[in-house]
Amino acid sequence: MFRWLLLFILIVPALEIGVLIWAGNWMGPWWVILLIILTGVIGAWLAKQQGLETIRNVQNSMSTGQMPQDALLDGACILVGGAVLLTPGFITDAIGFLLLMPPTRAPIKRVLRKVITRMIDKGSVTIYRR
């Protein structure tokens, strides 16, 4: 897990700088700045909409006595997607939008479920039930 985090912290910013420089040379710096601001605003709006929908889904699940497993994964994806969208750059914006859009979030949630299940089976993660 630490390797992936280190990779994300070191490699992604370097790639972002390269893409931003390339885009600035290709379309001009003002358009790049405008796109960064625009994706931030759209991403914040989308994160808010998806977050509110997820909260409603959690409340509905809890009111019927069910565990909101799917909604919790949605919430985690929305949280990470919203945070990544606030960082300037096109690569992180693409990752953020993938995590915020329900059609693209579904396969990501399947992979996350498999990873979490594997970690539980290995004993890396322990879940306590009451």
Side-chain angles (χ1 to χ4, degrees):
M1 183 68 160
F2 181 72
R3 287 182 298 181
W4 291 107
L5 188 60
L6 184 64
L7 180 74
F8 192 75
I9 290 172
L10 293 177
I11 303 293
V12 171
L15 290 172
E16 287 286 13
I17 291 169
V19 170
L20 287 171
I21 290 171
W22 174 81
N25 287 332
W26 183 62
M27 66 175 100
W30 293 110
W31 287 109
V32 171
I33 292 169
L34 180 67
L35 276 173
I36 289 171
I37 292 169
L38 186 65
T39 57
V41 170
I42 292 171
W45 176 81
L46 188 59
K48 179 182 175 186
Q49 297 302 318
Q50 292 297 309
L52 290 173
E53 182 179 331
T54 300
I55 289 171
R56 281 192 296 276
N57 290 341
V58 168
Q59 290 172 339
N60 289 339
S61 295
M62 297 295 279
S63 69
T64 60
Q66 299 173 351
M67 279 295 293
Q69 299 167 348
D70 200 46
L72 291 177
L73 277 177
D74 276 328
C77 288
I78 291 166
L79 177 68
V80 172
V84 169
L85 267 169
L86 291 177
T87 62
F90 296 122
I91 297 169
T92 52
D93 286 349
I95 293 168
F97 281 119
L98 286 173
L99 288 169
L100 286 179
M101 306 282 262
T104 56
R105 190 169 57 231
I108 294 169
K109 287 190 318 187
R110 277 195 297 274
V111 170
L112 281 175
R113 252 189 235 103
K114 287 180 184 177
V115 168
I116 291 169
T117 303
R118 203 173 305 132
M119 290 173 75
I120 290 171
D121 291 343
K122 285 166 75 174
S124 305
V125 173
T126 306
I127 296 180
Y128 297 101
R129 296 183 183 182
R130 289 185 176 190

